[in-house]
Amino acid sequence: MNKLKFLFSFLFIIFYSGASFSEVAPSDVVADEYGAVTASLTGVAGDPTNGRKVFMNRKQGNCLACHVNSEMSEQTFHGAVGPVLDGVADRWTAAELRGMLVNSKKVFEGTIMPAFYKDSGYNRTLKKFVGKTILKAQQVEDVLAYLQTLKE
Amino acid sequence: MIFAKKIFITLLMIFGLNLSTASADESAELVVEGQPILTRTKAPSHMENIDEVRSGWTFRIKETQALQMDDFENPGMIFVDKGIDLWNKVEGSKNKSCASCHGDASEFKGLRTVMPKWNASAGALWSMEDHVNNCRTEQMGAEPLKWGKAPMDSIVALIGLQSRGMTMNVKIDGDVEPMWELGKELFYTRVGQLDMSCANCHEDNYGVMIRADHLSQGQINGFPTYRLKNAKLNSIHARFKGCMKNIRATPYKVGGDEFRALELYVASRGNGLSAETPSVRN
């Protein structure tokens, strides 16, 4: 039993340090003057299947709160605060879309859309979210991979 | 009877929500027990970005709207009845009830429309709850009631009901002006990990669906409000707290200065609408 625990924590450390080495920290993300982010946050290709899940999950992307997305018509309740995301990959490059996910405020000034990969500069954040980003780096890459499948 | 009502409400929660905006009746008129209630009117002059103010009732689906049109269907009235019991209950070291000094609750007709207001002896902005607790501790020698709990919300609803149909008209200048300014600032300040202000949702996006919710202007003229979601009365500050937690922000203290200031500012955004207490929302 103890051996097993040891093995798990060992694997966890390897996995965890491996991930954090290749990940770009939120404060180190480089965006151009229009907010676009060219470099991957993790160096690991995004997984569109997982990205689709993160997109609809209310505790993660919750993108449906504000966007209609016909590709997910099986989901009830699509919000209408932001634009319809159908064909979004035809309108924006990957770097632009990554920039919107990381910090939409740099792309659309004053937008209501949250910044999904920003961990500081907030006001009165609930304790359990302090110092955290809404999405993890790989989740951002996964959602991005999913968005890139949205073509008309 | 109450049981049947509960089942009906549960069914409404399950199916009613699915009706979505398709059956929202935005042009309906609210008449309660034959009394017309003004749910849309010209915005007060201090509001810069909105021309027409609208009660949250106008954003709700027909079935929810209907519950507020008939006191027998309005589940909030069950709590008002509890408020009447409490009104008449003798408590505290001085052996008094509210009725001992104030007679009938109708003595407070009109009070709801000017709350929150300045209390000169305390030198502070007071919500209805402050008056209730001040009388309990000073006049009755009884324990104060907890804000946001059923006994307090019931008695606040009973007092509010006396003004139903009357025009909201809180004062925003004079002694209360600094608090009003603070409330305004809080309304427009982004907070929480989702980094939003009240205005982002309730001013920039009212009338729009945010997932399954039809965003209203966040008016408080109907509080305390009965919510189908938790099947009880909800106080103004409890609602503010809920909205802040949803955007992952640390709420201000219920009954504290920030929420009192926000209450004044939000109330002033509804000046001109009718008091609707107790309203019904989802």
Coordinates of all heavy atoms in Angstrom, one line a residue, chain B residues 150-230:
Chain B
A150 N -35.5 33.7 7.5 CA -37.0 33.7 7.3 C -37.7 34.7 8.2 O -38.5 35.5 7.7 CB -37.6 32.3 7.4
P151 N -37.5 34.7 9.5 CA -38.2 35.7 10.4 C -38.0 37.1 9.9 O -39.0 37.8 9.8 CB -37.7 35.4 11.8 CG -37.1 34.0 11.7 CD -36.6 33.9 10.3
M152 N -36.8 37.5 9.7 CA -36.5 38.9 9.3 C -37.2 39.2 7.9 O -37.9 40.2 7.7 CB -35.0 39.2 9.3 CG -34.7 40.5 8.8 SD -35.3 41.9 9.8 CE -33.8 42.2 10.8
D153 N -36.9 38.3 7.0 CA -37.4 38.5 5.6 C -39.0 38.6 5.6 O -39.6 39.3 4.8 CB -36.9 37.4 4.7 CG -35.4 37.5 4.5 OD1 -34.8 38.5 4.8 OD2 -34.8 36.5 4.0
S154 N -39.6 37.8 6.5 CA -41.1 37.8 6.5 C -41.6 39.1 7.0 O -42.6 39.6 6.5 CB -41.6 36.6 7.5 OG -41.1 35.4 7.0
I155 N -41.0 39.6 8.1 CA -41.5 40.9 8.6 C -41.2 42.0 7.7 O -42.0 42.9 7.5 CB -41.0 41.1 10.1 CG1 -42.0 41.9 10.9 CG2 -39.6 41.8 10.2 CD1 -42.1 41.5 12.3
V156 N -40.0 42.0 7.0 CA -39.7 43.0 6.0 C -40.7 42.9 4.9 O -41.1 44.0 4.3 CB -38.2 42.9 5.6 CG1 -37.9 43.8 4.4 CG2 -37.3 43.2 6.7
A157 N -41.1 41.7 4.5 CA -42.1 41.6 3.4 C -43.4 42.1 3.8 O -44.1 42.8 3.1 CB -42.2 40.1 3.0
L158 N -43.8 41.8 5.1 CA -45.1 42.3 5.6 C -45.1 43.9 5.5 O -46.1 44.5 5.1 CB -45.3 41.9 7.0 CG -46.5 42.5 7.8 CD1 -47.8 42.1 7.1 CD2 -46.5 42.2 9.2
I159 N -44.0 44.5 6.0 CA -44.0 46.0 5.9 C -44.0 46.4 4.5 O -44.7 47.4 4.1 CB -42.8 46.5 6.7 CG1 -42.9 46.1 8.2 CG2 -42.6 48.0 6.6 CD1 -41.6 46.4 9.0
G160 N -43.2 45.8 3.6 CA -43.1 46.1 2.2 C -44.4 46.0 1.5 O -44.8 46.9 0.7
L161 N -45.2 45.0 1.8 CA -46.5 44.8 1.2 C -47.4 46.0 1.3 O -48.3 46.3 0.5 CB -47.1 43.5 1.7 CG -48.6 43.2 1.3 CD1 -48.7 42.9 -0.2 CD2 -49.1 42.0 2.1
Q162 N -47.3 46.7 2.4 CA -48.2 47.8 2.7 C -48.0 48.9 1.6 O -48.9 49.8 1.5 CB -47.9 48.4 4.1 CG -47.9 47.4 5.3 CD -49.1 46.5 5.3 OE1 -50.2 46.9 5.2 NE2 -48.8 45.2 5.5
S163 N -46.9 48.9 0.9 CA -46.7 49.9 -0.1 C -46.9 49.4 -1.5 O -46.5 50.1 -2.5 CB -45.2 50.5 0.0 OG -44.9 50.9 1.3
R164 N -47.4 48.2 -1.6 CA -47.4 47.6 -3.0 C -48.3 48.5 -3.9 O -49.4 49.0 -3.5 CB -48.0 46.2 -2.9 CG -47.9 45.5 -4.3 CD -48.2 44.0 -4.2 NE -49.6 43.8 -3.7 CZ -50.1 42.6 -3.5 NH1 -49.3 41.5 -3.6 NH2 -51.3 42.4 -3.1
G165 N -47.8 48.8 -5.1 CA -48.5 49.7 -6.0 C -48.1 51.1 -5.9 O -48.3 51.9 -6.8
M166 N -47.4 51.5 -4.8 CA -47.0 52.9 -4.7 C -45.6 53.1 -5.4 O -44.9 52.1 -5.6 CB -46.8 53.2 -3.2 CG -48.2 53.2 -2.4 SD -48.0 53.4 -0.7 CE -47.6 55.2 -0.6
T167 N -45.3 54.3 -5.7 CA -44.1 54.6 -6.5 C -42.9 54.7 -5.7 O -42.8 55.4 -4.7 CB -44.4 56.0 -7.3 OG1 -45.6 55.9 -8.0 CG2 -43.2 56.2 -8.3
M168 N -41.9 53.9 -6.2 CA -40.5 53.9 -5.5 C -39.9 55.3 -5.6 O -39.9 55.9 -6.7 CB -39.6 52.9 -6.2 CG -39.9 51.5 -5.8 SD -39.7 51.1 -4.1 CE -38.0 51.6 -3.8
N169 N -39.4 55.8 -4.5 CA -38.9 57.2 -4.6 C -37.9 57.4 -3.5 O -38.1 58.2 -2.6 CB -40.1 58.2 -4.4 CG -39.6 59.6 -4.6 OD1 -38.6 59.9 -5.2 ND2 -40.4 60.6 -4.0
V170 N -36.7 56.7 -3.6 CA -35.7 56.9 -2.6 C -35.0 58.2 -2.8 O -34.8 58.7 -3.9 CB -34.7 55.8 -2.5 CG1 -35.4 54.5 -2.1 CG2 -33.9 55.6 -3.8
K171 N -34.6 58.8 -1.7 CA -33.8 60.1 -1.8 C -32.4 59.8 -2.0 O -31.8 58.9 -1.4 CB -34.0 60.8 -0.4 CG -33.7 62.3 -0.4 CD -34.2 62.8 1.0 CE -33.6 64.1 1.5 NZ -33.0 65.1 0.7
I172 N -31.8 60.6 -2.9 CA -30.4 60.3 -3.2 C -29.4 61.5 -2.9 O -28.2 61.3 -3.0 CB -30.2 59.9 -4.7 CG1 -30.5 61.1 -5.7 CG2 -31.1 58.7 -5.1 CD1 -30.2 60.8 -7.1
D173 N -30.0 62.6 -2.5 CA -29.1 63.7 -2.2 C -29.1 64.0 -0.7 O -29.6 63.2 0.1 CB -29.5 65.0 -3.0 CG -31.0 65.3 -2.8 OD1 -31.6 64.6 -1.9 OD2 -31.5 66.2 -3.4
G174 N -28.5 65.1 -0.3 CA -28.4 65.4 1.1 C -27.4 64.5 1.9 O -26.4 64.1 1.4
D175 N -27.9 64.1 3.1 CA -27.0 63.2 3.9 C -26.6 61.9 3.3 O -25.5 61.4 3.6 CB -27.8 62.9 5.2 CG -27.9 64.1 6.1 OD1 -27.0 64.9 6.2 OD2 -29.0 64.2 6.8
V176 N -27.4 61.4 2.4 CA -27.1 60.1 1.9 C -26.2 60.1 0.6 O -25.8 59.1 0.1 CB -28.4 59.3 1.5 CG1 -29.3 59.0 2.7 CG2 -29.2 60.0 0.4
E177 N -26.0 61.3 0.1 CA -25.3 61.4 -1.1 C -23.9 60.7 -1.2 O -23.7 59.9 -2.2 CB -25.0 62.9 -1.5 CG -24.7 63.0 -3.0 CD -24.5 64.4 -3.5 OE1 -25.2 65.3 -2.9 OE2 -23.7 64.6 -4.4
P178 N -23.1 60.8 -0.1 CA -21.8 60.0 -0.2 C -22.1 58.5 -0.4 O -21.3 57.8 -1.1 CB -21.1 60.3 1.1 CG -21.7 61.6 1.6 CD -23.1 61.6 1.1
M179 N -23.1 58.0 0.3 CA -23.4 56.6 0.2 C -23.9 56.2 -1.2 O -23.6 55.2 -1.7 CB -24.5 56.1 1.3 CG -23.9 56.1 2.7 SD -22.7 54.8 2.9 CE -23.7 53.4 3.5
W180 N -24.7 57.1 -1.7 CA -25.2 56.9 -3.1 C -24.1 56.8 -4.1 O -24.0 56.0 -4.9 CB -26.2 58.0 -3.4 CG -26.9 57.8 -4.8 CD1 -28.0 57.0 -5.0 CD2 -26.5 58.3 -6.0 NE1 -28.3 57.0 -6.4 CE2 -27.4 57.8 -7.0 CE3 -25.5 59.2 -6.4 CZ2 -27.3 58.2 -8.4 CZ3 -25.4 59.6 -7.8 CH2 -26.3 59.1 -8.7
E181 N -23.1 57.7 -3.9 CA -22.0 57.8 -4.8 C -21.2 56.5 -4.6 O -20.7 55.9 -5.6 CB -21.0 59.0 -4.5 CG -21.6 60.3 -4.8 CD -21.7 60.6 -6.3 OE1 -21.2 59.8 -7.1 OE2 -22.4 61.6 -6.7
L182 N -21.0 56.0 -3.4 CA -20.3 54.8 -3.2 C -21.0 53.6 -3.9 O -20.4 52.8 -4.5 CB -20.1 54.5 -1.7 CG -19.6 53.1 -1.3 CD1 -18.2 52.9 -1.8 CD2 -19.6 52.9 0.3
G183 N -22.3 53.6 -3.7 CA -23.1 52.5 -4.3 C -23.0 52.5 -5.8 O -22.8 51.5 -6.5
K184 N -23.0 53.7 -6.4 CA -22.8 53.8 -7.8 C -21.5 53.3 -8.3 O -21.4 52.5 -9.3 CB -23.0 55.3 -8.3 CG -22.9 55.5 -9.7 CD -23.2 56.9 -10.1 CE -23.1 57.1 -11.6 NZ -23.3 58.5 -12.1
E185 N -20.4 53.6 -7.5 CA -19.1 53.2 -7.8 C -19.0 51.6 -7.8 O -18.5 51.0 -8.7 CB -18.1 53.8 -6.9 CG -16.7 53.5 -7.2 CD -15.7 54.0 -6.1 OE1 -16.0 55.1 -5.5 OE2 -14.8 53.2 -5.7
L186 N -19.7 51.1 -6.8 CA -19.7 49.6 -6.6 C -20.4 48.9 -7.8 O -20.0 47.9 -8.3 CB -20.3 49.2 -5.3 CG -19.5 49.6 -4.0 CD1 -20.4 49.3 -2.8 CD2 -18.2 48.9 -4.0
F187 N -21.5 49.6 -8.2 CA -22.3 49.0 -9.3 C -21.5 48.9 -10.6 O -21.7 48.0 -11.4 CB -23.5 49.9 -9.5 CG -24.6 49.2 -10.4 CD1 -25.5 48.4 -9.9 CD2 -24.6 49.5 -11.8 CE1 -26.5 47.8 -10.7 CE2 -25.6 48.9 -12.6 CZ -26.5 48.1 -12.1
Y188 N -20.5 49.8 -10.8 CA -19.8 49.8 -12.0 C -18.4 49.3 -11.9 O -17.6 49.3 -12.8 CB -19.7 51.3 -12.6 CG -21.0 51.8 -13.2 CD1 -21.8 52.6 -12.4 CD2 -21.4 51.4 -14.4 CE1 -23.1 53.0 -13.0 CE2 -22.6 51.8 -15.0 CZ -23.4 52.6 -14.2 OH -24.6 53.0 -14.8
T189 N -18.0 48.7 -10.7 CA -16.7 48.2 -10.5 C -16.6 46.7 -10.8 O -17.5 45.9 -10.3 CB -16.2 48.4 -9.0 OG1 -16.3 49.8 -8.7 CG2 -14.8 47.9 -8.8
R190 N -15.7 46.3 -11.6 CA -15.5 44.9 -11.9 C -14.9 44.1 -10.8 O -13.9 44.6 -10.2 CB -14.6 44.7 -13.2 CG -15.3 45.1 -14.4 CD -14.4 44.8 -15.6 NE -14.8 45.4 -16.8 CZ -15.2 44.6 -17.9 NH1 -15.2 43.3 -17.8 NH2 -15.7 45.1 -19.0
V191 N -15.5 43.0 -10.4 CA -15.0 42.2 -9.3 C -14.9 40.7 -9.7 O -15.6 40.3 -10.7 CB -15.8 42.3 -8.1 CG1 -15.7 43.7 -7.4 CG2 -17.3 42.0 -8.4
G192 N -14.1 40.0 -8.9 CA -14.1 38.5 -9.1 C -13.2 38.0 -10.2 O -12.8 38.8 -11.0
Q193 N -13.1 36.7 -10.2 CA -12.2 36.1 -11.2 C -12.9 36.3 -12.6 O -12.2 36.3 -13.6 CB -12.0 34.6 -10.9 CG -10.9 34.0 -11.8 CD -11.0 32.4 -11.7 OE1 -12.0 31.8 -11.5 NE2 -9.8 31.8 -11.7
L194 N -14.2 36.4 -12.7 CA -14.8 36.6 -14.0 C -14.8 38.1 -14.4 O -15.2 38.4 -15.5 CB -16.3 36.1 -14.0 CG -16.5 34.6 -13.7 CD1 -17.9 34.1 -14.1 CD2 -15.5 33.7 -14.4
D195 N -14.4 38.9 -13.4 CA -14.1 40.3 -13.7 C -15.2 41.1 -14.3 O -15.1 41.6 -15.4 CB -12.8 40.3 -14.7 CG -12.0 41.5 -14.5 OD1 -12.2 42.2 -13.5 OD2 -11.2 41.8 -15.4
M196 N -16.3 41.0 -13.7 CA -17.5 41.7 -14.2 C -18.1 42.7 -13.1 O -17.9 42.4 -11.9 CB -18.6 40.7 -14.5 CG -18.2 39.8 -15.7 SD -19.6 38.6 -15.9 CE -18.7 37.4 -17.0
S197 N -18.8 43.7 -13.6 CA -19.5 44.6 -12.7 C -21.0 44.3 -12.8 O -21.4 43.6 -13.8 CB -19.3 46.0 -13.1 OG -19.9 46.3 -14.4
C198 N -21.8 44.8 -11.9 CA -23.2 44.6 -12.0 C -23.7 45.1 -13.3 O -24.6 44.5 -14.0 CB -23.9 45.4 -10.9 SG -23.2 45.2 -9.2
A199 N -23.1 46.3 -13.7 CA -23.6 46.9 -15.0 C -23.3 46.1 -16.2 O -24.1 46.1 -17.1 CB -22.9 48.3 -15.1
N200 N -22.2 45.3 -16.2 CA -22.0 44.4 -17.4 C -23.2 43.5 -17.7 O -23.5 43.3 -18.8 CB -20.7 43.5 -17.1 CG -19.4 44.3 -17.2 OD1 -18.5 44.0 -16.5 ND2 -19.4 45.2 -18.2
C201 N -23.8 43.0 -16.6 CA -25.0 42.2 -16.9 C -26.3 43.0 -16.9 O -27.1 42.8 -17.8 CB -25.0 41.0 -15.8 SG -23.8 39.7 -16.1
H202 N -26.5 43.8 -15.8 CA -27.8 44.4 -15.7 C -28.0 45.7 -16.4 O -29.1 46.2 -16.3 CB -28.1 44.5 -14.2 CG -28.2 43.2 -13.5 ND1 -29.2 42.2 -13.9 CD2 -27.5 42.6 -12.5 CE1 -29.0 41.2 -13.1 NE2 -28.0 41.3 -12.2
E203 N -27.0 46.3 -17.0 CA -27.2 47.5 -17.7 C -26.8 47.2 -19.2 O -27.6 47.6 -20.1 CB -26.3 48.6 -17.2 CG -26.4 49.9 -18.0 CD -25.9 51.1 -17.2 OE1 -26.4 51.5 -16.2 OE2 -24.9 51.7 -17.7
D204 N -25.7 46.6 -19.5 CA -25.3 46.4 -20.9 C -26.0 45.2 -21.5 O -26.1 45.2 -22.8 CB -23.8 46.0 -20.9 CG -22.9 47.1 -20.2 OD1 -23.4 48.2 -20.1 OD2 -21.7 46.8 -19.9
N205 N -26.5 44.3 -20.8 CA -27.1 43.1 -21.4 C -28.5 42.7 -20.9 O -28.8 41.5 -21.1 CB -26.1 41.9 -21.2 CG -24.9 42.0 -22.1 OD1 -25.0 41.9 -23.3 ND2 -23.7 42.3 -21.5
Y206 N -29.2 43.6 -20.3 CA -30.6 43.1 -19.9 C -31.4 42.8 -21.2 O -31.2 43.4 -22.2 CB -31.2 44.2 -19.0 CG -31.6 45.5 -19.7 CD1 -32.8 45.6 -20.3 CD2 -30.7 46.5 -19.6 CE1 -33.1 46.8 -20.9 CE2 -31.0 47.7 -20.3 CZ -32.2 47.9 -20.9 OH -32.6 49.1 -21.5
G207 N -32.3 41.9 -21.0 CA -33.1 41.4 -22.2 C -32.4 40.3 -23.0 O -33.0 39.7 -23.9
V208 N -31.1 40.0 -22.6 CA -30.4 39.0 -23.3 C -30.3 37.7 -22.5 O -30.3 37.8 -21.3 CB -28.9 39.5 -23.6 CG1 -28.0 38.5 -24.1 CG2 -29.0 40.8 -24.5
M209 N -30.3 36.6 -23.1 CA -30.1 35.3 -22.4 C -28.7 35.1 -22.0 O -27.8 35.2 -22.9 CB -30.6 34.1 -23.3 CG -32.0 34.1 -23.6 SD -33.1 34.0 -22.2 CE -32.9 32.3 -21.7
I210 N -28.4 34.8 -20.8 CA -27.1 34.3 -20.3 C -27.3 32.8 -19.9 O -28.0 32.6 -18.9 CB -26.5 35.2 -19.3 CG1 -25.0 34.8 -19.0 CG2 -27.3 35.3 -18.0 CD1 -24.2 35.9 -18.3
R211 N -26.9 32.0 -20.8 CA -27.3 30.5 -20.7 C -28.8 30.4 -20.5 O -29.5 30.9 -21.4 CB -26.5 29.8 -19.6 CG -26.5 28.3 -20.0 CD -25.0 27.8 -20.1 NE -25.0 26.5 -20.7 CZ -23.9 25.7 -20.7 NH1 -22.8 26.1 -20.1 NH2 -23.8 24.5 -21.2
A212 N -29.3 29.9 -19.4 CA -30.8 29.7 -19.3 C -31.5 30.9 -18.6 O -32.7 30.9 -18.4 CB -31.1 28.4 -18.5
D213 N -30.7 31.9 -18.3 CA -31.3 33.1 -17.6 C -31.6 34.3 -18.5 O -30.7 34.7 -19.2 CB -30.4 33.5 -16.4 CG -30.4 32.5 -15.3 OD1 -31.5 32.0 -14.9 OD2 -29.3 32.2 -14.8
H214 N -32.7 34.8 -18.4 CA -33.1 36.0 -19.1 C -32.7 37.2 -18.2 O -33.3 37.4 -17.2 CB -34.6 36.0 -19.4 CG -35.0 37.0 -20.5 ND1 -36.3 37.5 -20.6 CD2 -34.3 37.6 -21.5 CE1 -36.3 38.3 -21.6 NE2 -35.1 38.4 -22.2
L215 N -31.6 37.9 -18.6 CA -31.1 39.0 -17.8 C -32.1 40.2 -17.6 O -32.6 40.7 -18.6 CB -29.8 39.5 -18.3 CG -28.5 38.7 -18.0 CD1 -27.4 39.2 -18.9 CD2 -28.2 38.7 -16.6
S216 N -32.3 40.6 -16.4 CA -33.1 41.7 -16.1 C -32.2 42.9 -15.8 O -31.0 42.8 -15.9 CB -34.1 41.5 -15.0 OG -33.3 41.5 -13.7
Q217 N -32.8 44.0 -15.4 CA -32.1 45.2 -15.0 C -31.6 45.1 -13.5 O -31.0 46.0 -13.0 CB -32.9 46.5 -15.1 CG -33.2 46.8 -16.6 CD -34.0 48.0 -16.8 OE1 -34.6 48.6 -15.8 NE2 -34.1 48.5 -18.0
G218 N -31.9 44.0 -12.9 CA -31.4 43.8 -11.5 C -32.1 44.8 -10.5 O -31.5 45.4 -9.6
Q219 N -33.4 45.1 -10.7 CA -34.1 46.0 -9.9 C -34.5 45.4 -8.6 O -34.6 44.1 -8.5 CB -35.4 46.4 -10.6 CG -35.2 47.2 -11.9 CD -34.7 48.7 -11.7 OE1 -34.6 49.1 -10.5 NE2 -34.5 49.4 -12.7
I220 N -34.7 46.2 -7.5 CA -35.0 45.6 -6.2 C -36.4 46.1 -5.7 O -36.7 45.9 -4.6 CB -34.0 45.9 -5.2 CG1 -33.7 47.4 -5.1 CG2 -32.7 45.2 -5.5 CD1 -32.7 47.8 -3.9
N221 N -37.2 46.7 -6.6 CA -38.5 47.1 -6.2 C -39.5 46.0 -5.7 O -40.5 46.3 -5.1 CB -39.2 47.9 -7.3 CG -39.4 47.1 -8.6 OD1 -38.4 46.5 -9.0 ND2 -40.5 47.1 -9.1
G222 N -39.1 44.8 -6.0 CA -40.0 43.7 -5.6 C -39.6 42.9 -4.3 O -40.2 41.9 -4.0
F223 N -38.5 43.4 -3.7 CA -37.9 42.6 -2.6 C -38.6 42.9 -1.3 O -39.2 43.9 -1.1 CB -36.4 42.9 -2.4 CG -35.6 42.1 -3.4 CD1 -35.5 42.5 -4.7 CD2 -34.9 41.0 -3.0 CE1 -34.8 41.8 -5.6 CE2 -34.1 40.3 -3.9 CZ -34.1 40.6 -5.2
P224 N -38.6 41.9 -0.4 CA -38.0 40.6 -0.5 C -38.8 39.8 -1.6 O -40.0 40.0 -1.7 CB -38.2 39.9 0.8 CG -38.5 41.0 1.8 CD -39.0 42.1 1.0
T225 N -38.1 39.0 -2.3 CA -38.7 38.3 -3.5 C -38.7 36.8 -3.2 O -37.8 36.2 -2.6 CB -38.0 38.6 -4.8 OG1 -38.7 38.1 -5.9 CG2 -36.6 38.1 -4.8
Y226 N -39.9 36.2 -3.6 CA -39.9 34.7 -3.5 C -39.3 34.1 -4.7 O -39.7 34.4 -5.8 CB -41.4 34.2 -3.4 CG -41.5 32.7 -3.2 CD1 -41.5 32.1 -2.0 CD2 -41.6 31.9 -4.4 CE1 -41.5 30.7 -1.9 CE2 -41.7 30.5 -4.3 CZ -41.6 30.0 -3.0 OH -41.7 28.6 -2.9
R227 N -38.3 33.2 -4.5 CA -37.7 32.6 -5.7 C -38.1 31.1 -5.8 O -38.0 30.4 -4.8 CB -36.1 32.7 -5.6 CG -35.7 34.2 -5.8 CD -34.2 34.2 -5.9 NE -33.7 33.6 -7.2 CZ -32.4 33.3 -7.5 NH1 -31.5 33.6 -6.6 NH2 -32.1 32.7 -8.6
L228 N -38.4 30.7 -6.9 CA -38.8 29.3 -7.2 C -37.6 28.4 -6.9 O -37.7 27.3 -6.5 CB -39.3 29.1 -8.6 CG -40.6 29.9 -8.9 CD1 -40.9 29.8 -10.4 CD2 -41.7 29.5 -8.1
K229 N -36.4 29.0 -7.2 CA -35.2 28.3 -7.1 C -34.9 27.7 -5.7 O -34.5 26.6 -5.5 CB -34.0 29.2 -7.5 CG -32.7 28.5 -7.5 CD -31.5 29.5 -7.9 CE -30.2 28.8 -7.6 NZ -29.1 29.6 -8.0
N230 N -35.2 28.6 -4.7 CA -34.9 28.1 -3.3 C -36.2 28.1 -2.5 O -36.1 27.8 -1.3 CB -33.8 28.9 -2.7 CG -34.1 30.4 -2.7 OD1 -35.2 30.8 -2.9 ND2 -33.0 31.2 -2.4

